[in-house]
C-alpha cells in the first residue's frame, strides 16, 4: 500500500519544531505564545527524564501528537488563569457597586436615616366595627409609645432564618446579637482569603465595638483553607456567653458549706471568633487531625454562609423570602405505595433527618490544608 502523505520519510520530531506545531489561539500574544513553547519544552524534557519508559517507547509520530496535545492543555491553563484573573476583577468591580447599597441599608437599619412613611389606603369601614377607644386626656392623637428607630433585631432575625446560622445561635446569644448593627466582608490581598467585620453598638456583654473573623486561603478558587483568626472578645465581668458556671453543693457534714464552682465551655455563636487552630510544634495523631479538619471545615461553612448568603441577601433573610426561595428548589417527594414492600421497616424521622444532613454536607466540599 502506497503512503501518499510521505509520512514514512518524515524525520523524527525535534524539540526545535515545537513552536511550529502550536495551534493559533485568538487573543494570545506572541509573547504568551513564546512562553507556552518554553513551558512545554520544559515539560517534555522533564517527562523525557522519567524512567517509566512508556513515553520513551512511543514512536516519533505519537510523540509529536502528544506534544501538540500538551500544548493545547497548556494554552487552556493560560486562558483559565486569565479567566480567574478577569473574574476576580469583575467581582471587585461589582463589589464596589454593592457598597453604596450596603451603606444605605445600614443607615436605614440603624435609624441613621428614615424613609417616608406611606400610610396604607383606608379600607371601607366594617358594619360591626367597634368604636375606637378614646384617647387619654392630654395625650397626642398617636400612641404615646416611644417611636422605634431603624429596624430592630435586623441581623439577628436574618441570621436565625438561615438554617446553618440558626444552629449557631443560642438563646443567650440572642440578647447580645440584638446589638449587632452591621456585617461587612472584604477580600484579603491577592484574594488569599476574606475578612468578616461585625459592628456592635454599646452593649452590656463585651467592650469590643468590632469583632473580626479572617480566613486565610492558600488558593481562594479551590478553596483551600490554611487557617482562620478571630478577635479576642473583651467580655464584661460575668457576661461571657461562651462559658457557663456550674455550682455543686457540698455534701452534708463537709467542713465547708461554700458551694464548689467550675467554669465550662458552652455552645455559643461567639465561639465563631475563637476558631480551631492547628498546633505548630506538637505532633497529633490521625484521629485528632481528622477531627480538627472537620471542625475547620464546619467553621469555614459558617463563614462562607455569612459572606455568600447573609450579607448580600440580608433583607430577604429578614423577611423570610430567601428561605422560601430555597424551599422552592425541593424535589417532588410524592411516592406511591407500590414503591415499598410490605416487609419494609419504618425508621425514626430523626435518623432520616440526620441522613439528609449528611447528604447536604457532601454537596459542597471545602478543602482544608492537610495536617
Amino acid at each position: 500500500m502506497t503512503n501518499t502523505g510521505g509520512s514514512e520519510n518524515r524525520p523524527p520530531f525535534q524539540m526545535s519544531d515545537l513552536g511550529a506545531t502550536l495551534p493559533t489561539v485568538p487573543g494570545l500574544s506572541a509573547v504568551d505564545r513564546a512562553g507556552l513553547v518554553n513551558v512545554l519544552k520544559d515539560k517534555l524534557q522533564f517527562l523525557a527524564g522519567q524512567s517509566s519508559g512508556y513515553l520513551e517507547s512511543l514512536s516519533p509520530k505519537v510523540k509529536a501528537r502528544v506534544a501538540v496535545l500538551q500544548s493545547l492543555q497548556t494554552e487552556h491553563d493560560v486562558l483559565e488563569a486569565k479567566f480567574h484573573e478577569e473574574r476576580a476583577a469583575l467581582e471587585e468591580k461589582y463589589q464596589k457597586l454593592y457598597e453604596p447599597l450596603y451603606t444605605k441599608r445600614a443607615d436605614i437599619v440603624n435609624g441613621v436615616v428614615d424613609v417616608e412613611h406611606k400610610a396604607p389606603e383606608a379600607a371601607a369601614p366594617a358594619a360591626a366595627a367597634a368604636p375606637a377607644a378614646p384617647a387619654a386626656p392630654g395625650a397626642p392623637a398617636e400612641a404615646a409609645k416611644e417611636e422605634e428607630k431603624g429596624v430592630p433585631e435586623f441581623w439577628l432575625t436574618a441570621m436565625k432564618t438561615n438554617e446553618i446560622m440558626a444552629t449557631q445561635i443560642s438563646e443567650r446569644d440572642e440578647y447580645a446579637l440584638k446589638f449587632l448593627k452591621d456585617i461587612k466582608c472584604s477580600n484579603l490581598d491577592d484574594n488569599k482569603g476574606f475578612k468578616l467585620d461585625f459592628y456592635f453598638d454599646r452593649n452590656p456583654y463585651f467592650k469590643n465595638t468590632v469583632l473580626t473573623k479572617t480566613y486565610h486561603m492558600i488558593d481562594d478558587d479551590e478553596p483551600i483553607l490554611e487557617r482562620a483568626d478571630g478577635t479576642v472578645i473583651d467580655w464584661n465581668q460575668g457576661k461571657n456567653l461562651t462559658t457557663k458556671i456550674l455550682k455543686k453543693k457540698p455534701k452534708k457534714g463537709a467542713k465547708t458549706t461554700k458551694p464548689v464552682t467550675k467554669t465550662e465551655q458552652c455552645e455559643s455563636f461567639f465561639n465563631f471568633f475563637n476558631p480551631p487552630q492547628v498546633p505548630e510544634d506538637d505532633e497529633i495523631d490521625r484521629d485528632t487531625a481528622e477531627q480538627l479538619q472537620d471542625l475547620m471545615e464546619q467553621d469555614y461553612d459558617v463563614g462562607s454562609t455569612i459572606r455568600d448568603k447573609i450579607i448580600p441577601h440580608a433583607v430577604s433573610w429578614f423577611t423570610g423570602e430567601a428561605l422560601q426561595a430555597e424551599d422552592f428548589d425541593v424535589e417532588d417527594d410524592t411516592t406511591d405505595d407500590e414503591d415499598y414492600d410490605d416487609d419494609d421497616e419504618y425508621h425514626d424521622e430523626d435518623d432520616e433527618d440526620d441522613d439528609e444532613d449528611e447528604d447536604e454536607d457532601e454537596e459542597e466540599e471545602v478543602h482544608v490544608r492537610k495536617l
Side-chain angles (χ1 to χ4, degrees):
M1 183 174 179
T2 305
N3 189 328
T4 59
S7 59
E8 295 295 334
N9 299 323
R10 292 179 185 175
F13 179 79
Q14 302 293 329
M15 293 290 290
S16 58
D17 298 332
L18 186 57
T21 65
L22 286 175
T24 302
V25 177
L28 195 64
S29 66
V31 176
D32 291 336
R33 184 182 178 86
L36 287 176
V37 172
N38 292 331
V39 170
L40 189 52
K41 285 182 179 179
D42 291 339
K43 285 186 176 181
L44 288 176
Q45 289 171 353
F46 173 78
L47 290 174
Q50 300 303 301
S51 58
S52 63
Y54 175 70
L55 291 179
E56 297 173 357
S57 67
L58 298 177
S59 67
K61 292 181 182 179
V62 177
K63 287 182 179 179
R65 294 166 191 154
V66 172
V68 174
L69 291 176
Q70 287 185 300
S71 71
L72 293 175
Q73 183 63 55
T74 304
E75 291 188 9
H76 170 276
D77 295 344
V78 171
L79 293 176
E80 186 178 35
K82 289 185 176 181
F83 161 72
H84 289 303
E85 181 180 348
E86 292 179 9
R87 184 179 68 175
L90 190 63
E91 290 177 348
E92 183 178 357
K93 171 188 174 181
Y94 277 89
Q95 186 63 32
K96 292 179 180 178
L97 296 177
Y98 295 149
E99 286 303 327
L101 303 179
Y102 294 157
T103 300
K104 291 179 181 179
R105 180 180 68 187
D107 289 344
I108 295 174
V109 166
N110 296 298
V112 177
V113 298
D114 207 348
V115 297
E116 182 180 355
H117 174 67
K118 295 182 180 179
E121 296 182 2
E142 296 186 2
K145 179 182 177 181
E146 183 180 355
E147 184 179 357
E148 293 178 320
K149 290 185 178 181
V151 183
E153 303 180 21
F154 175 81
W155 288 102
L156 170 60
T157 303
M159 289 195 295
K160 285 181 60 180
T161 307
N162 179 272
E163 183 178 5
I164 292 178
M165 297 306 303
T167 62
Q168 305 297 313
I169 301 173
S170 69
E171 184 176 354
R172 293 201 307 166
D173 294 333
E174 294 185 17
Y175 297 101
L177 289 173
K178 291 179 180 180
F179 295 91
L180 180 57
K181 301 194 302 181
D182 199 9
I183 309 176
K184 295 182 179 181
C185 179
S186 58
N187 291 329
L188 302 184
D189 294 339
D190 299 326
N191 288 326
K192 296 298 183 181
F194 61 95
K195 181 179 69 168
L196 299 171
D197 291 316
F198 297 73
Y199 295 83
F200 285 86
D201 205 348
R202 293 182 59 184
N203 62 83
Y205 294 93
F206 46 82
K207 298 179 176 63
N208 313 70
T209 57
V210 181
L211 299 180
T212 300
K213 181 68 172 286
T214 305
Y215 290 93
H216 300 272
M217 317 298 292
I218 297 176
D219 185 349
D220 191 46
D221 294 319
E222 203 40 53
I224 301 176
L225 176 63
E226 181 180 18
R227 72 180 193 279
D229 302 322
T231 298
V232 177
I233 302 178
D234 187 8
W235 295 102
N236 290 328
Q237 183 67 30
K239 294 294 185 178
N240 190 338
L241 298 174
T242 65
T243 62
K244 58 183 179 180
I245 299 177
L246 303 179
K247 294 184 179 181
K248 183 179 180 181
K249 294 182 179 180
K251 296 180 179 180
K252 293 183 178 180
K255 296 181 179 179
T256 177
T257 58
K258 185 178 180 181
V260 178
T261 62
K262 67 175 182 177
T263 303
E264 288 187 353
Q265 292 294 121
C266 64
E267 294 184 357
S268 169
F269 167 77
F270 293 94
N271 287 322
F272 178 68
F273 299 98
N274 184 25
Q277 299 295 326
V278 179
E280 296 181 359
D281 300 326
D282 298 336
E283 294 183 0
I284 55 178
D285 56 50
R286 181 175 180 178
D287 292 340
T288 304
E290 290 180 354
Q291 183 181 13
L292 182 56
Q293 285 183 313
D294 289 342
L295 292 174
M296 293 177 68
E297 290 180 5
Q298 293 171 14
D299 177 73
Y300 180 84
D301 193 22
V302 174
S304 60
T305 297
I306 296 172
R307 176 192 63 179
D308 299 333
K309 293 187 176 183
I310 302 300
I311 293 178
H313 306 291
V315 176
S316 298
W317 286 108
F318 176 81
T319 61
E321 294 170 297
L323 184 62
Q324 296 173 7
E326 288 198 345
D327 291 342
F328 201 73
D329 295 333
V330 175
E331 296 180 359
D332 182 13
D333 57 357
T334 57
T335 55
D336 298 327
D337 291 341
E338 60 186 17
D339 294 336
Y340 298 92
D341 295 332
D342 294 337
D343 295 335
D344 287 347
E345 296 181 357
Y346 287 91
H347 300 281
D348 186 79
E349 291 183 357
D350 292 338
D351 294 338
E352 294 178 357
D353 292 341
D354 292 340
D355 294 339
E356 291 176 0
D357 292 341
E358 291 177 0
D359 293 339
E360 292 176 358
D361 292 341
E362 293 176 355
E363 289 179 1
E364 181 179 357
E365 180 180 358
V366 177
H367 300 281
V368 177
R369 178 172 64 88
K370 292 298 182 182
L371 304 179

